[in-house]
Amino acid sequence: MRRKTTIQMSSSVMKTSSALLLIGLTGLSLPLRAQTLAPEVLLGSHNQYREALGIAPLIWSDELAASAQQWADQLASSNRFQHSDTRYGENLWMGTANAYSQAKMVQSWGDERHAYVHGVFPNVTTGGVVGHYTQIIWRRTEKVGCGLATGRGNDVLVCQYDPPGNWRGESPY
């Protein structure tokens, strides 16, 4: 059985290949570090679902990303998991730190498409949760921005959408 050991290093030492090689050879693991936000990955991951339906792609919004980052930081530091009081649409994701790529985080919302039935919201499901997916594919939504934070052993992804989707009595597309 392998025992995990946490070591502390300065960031300059941690970045050197020799330090990483040493860690790899000794089997030691580093303390959890936050992933770097990858807007191009997040945007592409969202847009693949829209493209499959012939819906115009979303564009990245730095304004939404800043708002989402503030909320992700708040959630990660407080160990809460709840929506903000933003006027934007919002999807939230939380999982074990550094265990999931950002594409997989968005995919978890996109996988809700398997329970989606085209119709008028909220009657668009075979019985499962689909609200994250419908926000992604909502035709009138034009912009997305996301924030990613790590705290208490979890990564927290917040994506905000403008204009918001999931309007009762409307069809997603």
Side-chain angles (χ1 to χ4, degrees), residues 7 9 13 16-28:
I7 59 172
M9 294 180 171
V13 172
T16 65
S17 59
S18 60
L20 293 176
L21 179 60
L22 176 63
I23 291 166
L25 292 175
T26 61
L28 298 175

Side-chain angles (χ1 to χ4, degrees), residues 84-120:
S84 68
D85 60 0
T86 184
R87 64 180 182 88
Y88 304 119
E90 185 172 75
N91 281 348
L92 307 177
W93 182 94
M94 181 188 291
T96 304
N98 298 312
Y100 300 89
S101 69
Q102 292 168 51
K104 288 286 188 191
M105 294 173 190
V106 175
Q107 181 185 337
S108 72
W109 300 328
D111 285 348
E112 294 175 3
R113 72 188 180 284
H114 300 297
Y116 174 77
V117 177
H118 190 63
V120 175

Side-chain angles (χ1 to χ4, degrees), residues 40-101:
E40 66 287 346
V41 170
L42 292 163
L43 185 60
S45 297
H46 277 81
N47 282 333
Q48 69 179 342
Y49 299 106
R50 296 173 70 89
E51 182 180 341
L53 298 171
I55 301 169
L58 297 171
I59 61 170
W60 186 262
S61 165
D62 289 335
E63 177 185 341
L64 291 173
S67 174
Q69 186 63 57
Q70 284 183 324
W71 191 241
D73 290 340
Q74 177 68 26
L75 292 176
S77 66
S78 67
N79 205 31
R80 292 183 299 151
F81 193 68
Q82 64 189 51
H83 283 285
S84 68
D85 60 0
T86 184
R87 64 180 182 88
Y88 304 119
E90 185 172 75
N91 281 348
L92 307 177
W93 182 94
M94 181 188 291
T96 304
N98 298 312
Y100 300 89
S101 69

Side-chain angles (χ1 to χ4, degrees), residues 119-149:
V120 175
F121 194 84
N123 302 316
V124 293
T125 180
T126 60
V129 173
V130 297
H132 304 98
Y133 173 69
T134 54
Q135 175 57 81
I136 290 172
I137 64 163
W138 203 265
R139 181 178 299 278
R140 283 190 275 171
T141 298
E142 299 172 352
K143 298 184 274 186
V144 63
C146 303
L148 180 65

